[in-house]
Amino acid sequence: MANLAGTAPASALPAAWSSQPLLTIEGLTVDFSGVQVIRGIDLTVARGESIGIVGESGSGKSVTWLAALGLLPRTATVSGSIRLDGEELRGAAAMRLDRIRGGRVAMIFQDPSSALNPVIRIGRQVGEVLARHQGLSGSSIRAEAKRLFELVGLPDAGRRFDAYPHELSGGQNQRVMIATALAGKPDVLVADEPTTALDATIQAQILDLLTTVRRETGMALVLISHDLGVVSETCERIMVMYGGLVVETAPSESIFASPRHPYTQGLLAALPPFEGALRRLIPIEGQVPEPATMPPGCPFAPRCPQRMAVCEVTIPPLAQTEAGRFSACIAGPATEAQQPLKLKTSVLA
Amino acid sequence: MTASILDLHGISRSYSTRQGLFGKKVPVHAVDEVSLSLKEGQTLALVGESGSGKSTTGRIALGLERPNSGYVLFRGTELPAADTPAWRRMRAQMQMIYQDPLAALDRRLSIIDQVREPLDIHDIGSASKRNNKALAMLDAVGLNASHATSLPYQLSGGQRQRAVLARALIMQPALLVCDEPVSALDVSIQAQVVNVLMDLQKELRLSLLFISHDLKVVRQVSQRMAVMYLGRIVEFGETHLLLSSPTHPYTKALVSAVPVAGRRTRERIILKGEPPNPAARPTGCAFHPRCAIARPECVRVSPTFSTLPDGRSVACHAVHTNPPTKEVGS
């Protein structure tokens, strides 16, 4: 016990980096008929961690996770490594993947009504997962489904077992999806835009629920969203994607206070503020590049106000700017944080 | 005091729907006794969740739907019946843009043809003048000659929405109803469209009825806002007042539910329950089943509007008996 207390402060600081990661993605690339859409993603998810993946449409945030779970169509070529507790998932047998998906790794999507089968009662849909992954049967399925429905705050949980998806609202269907995901007792829940189709007050309920469930079950949460506000309030660590690459990753509190990458800076400047004085929005000029016409250097270079000649020919690597923070920019750190960087290197030397 | 361009007076609209396949018909009150006024050159935001009746209100404002009761005044005169020549003349001064620009554009016509089309229909100017005018309008929304000859699918979402805006503005309308105009766009592109819209509003002295669920955008574009819940307005007043010190419990919940980047720990009001079905509207104050401060009278009596010292109207029993004078300092 004394030993435990001694290690606690050390592990509290760089928890995500020091402990054995639960899920590791290394050098992930995805090609669709010769066009590369994911161009080398490295990331780790620690036990119980909440990580937010943000980026505009076409940045590759969803494809990364569909590829990781082997959910892409056969026309996609996936390379790299995806390991869950050391076990390689890429190229794993279909039977094995079926055990993992819905079991140790669960995924929920934006539109719950299209993810649920409209002609099957919701209790049976949750029950299917319970039977397959927990080996339950008969009345124990009903009892466990009721417990899950209560956990996700579905009103009148006991009677909902026999309801059809159309009898529930969008927010309630999303709760059913979360219950179905939790039925496999997952270590990781990947939620892809889980609240985008929902109203504001319902979005608040669902985000609150995801955080509560994560705290209670100790599962890790990967929240994919285009909304910086949503990930900011729900996740501890943020990863910003652009053009099939990770451009910045940092703890939630520091990335919004002092974004390092020009794209992250641009996203925040384009966001209408909700507090303080009104100001003219600063849009990012141009548009997200198409995968087929991706610029040879940094994908953000054509829209970047800090662009230099070298940015147009070299893809900048994701480099550490300070403890726990990484940014893939040649110009950004040099102009933004020149002083502190120099200081640090001299201290290290 | 600026004159108002659009006034809605106690408009109501209900539809009838069947309960179940063979069930009996029940009326659904989409909009119930809504009164609003929009001042010339200003922006009025209509805010609410799905099913609150904000889009129906927008359609009634343009005469695309007839209210069952109440009336709409455009510059002081009542809207003529839809599809009459008088209505069509008036409609040239009122335009609408929607959330999905691809659905609003003809996929097989070039952008310039679509932007010019209203001029062709109303037979305004010579052919070459029309073309020049359309090009000038495209330029005003930030699209160039090469975009003009493109087909909709060749443009990005933001460019398409700007093309839709150009087409809506080419008749030089006085009133533009925008139904979730930037909701489908990415943040960086949304900022482009919001800026263009605000610049053109200033230049053309446009009045905007801005329907949106995004309070961050509403704060950016509007002077006044109305919050709707199940077909009724619950709070109406200056945008900065409603957002900085919301009074109605529903407005409070909406404001606290706004996800703000860089803010993590704060008290968020989590409402119980779902937005109820307009077909099964609760008695009394429609919000009472989800309201934290509901009292017995809220179940029975629908609250009337009370006016606060800052000019706001609020429909809440708790506010009526308890004017929040102490909150003024915050």
Side-chain angles (χ1 to χ4, degrees), chain A residues 295-331:
Chain A
C298 169
F300 189 59
R303 305 174 76 187
C304 183
Q306 300 172 40
R307 173 183 62 241
M308 303 186 298
V310 62
C311 302
E312 285 164 29
V313 288
T314 320
I315 298 180
L318 199 60
Q320 186 155 7
T321 56
E322 57 225 78
R325 297 197 62 171
F326 295 82
S327 170
C329 181
I330 298 166

Side-chain angles (χ1 to χ4, degrees), chain A residues 56-57 169 172 199 201-203 205 229 232-233 256 271-273 275-276 279-281 283-284 286-287 303, chain B residues 49-50 156 159 186-188 192 195 199 216 219-220 259-260 262-264 266 268 271 273-275 290:
Chain A
E56 298 182 287
S57 36
S169 69
Q172 287 170 345
D199 279 319
T201 58
I202 308 302
Q203 165 167 294
Q205 289 176 352
S232 162
E233 295 187 0
F256 296 107
L271 212 59
E275 281 158 343
R279 55 163 177 83
R280 189 177 169 82
L281 303 180
I284 304 176
Q287 49 194 296
R303 305 174 76 187
Chain B
E49 296 179 284
S50 37
S156 69
Q159 289 167 340
D186 277 318
V187 191
S188 68
Q192 296 173 3
N195 282 351
D199 291 346
K216 280 181 279 199
R219 181 177 188 263
Q220 187 74 19
V260 177
R263 194 166 65 173
R264 278 204 80 206
R266 78 193 157 109
R268 189 162 22 187
L271 286 182
E274 309 283 320
R290 303 174 76 193

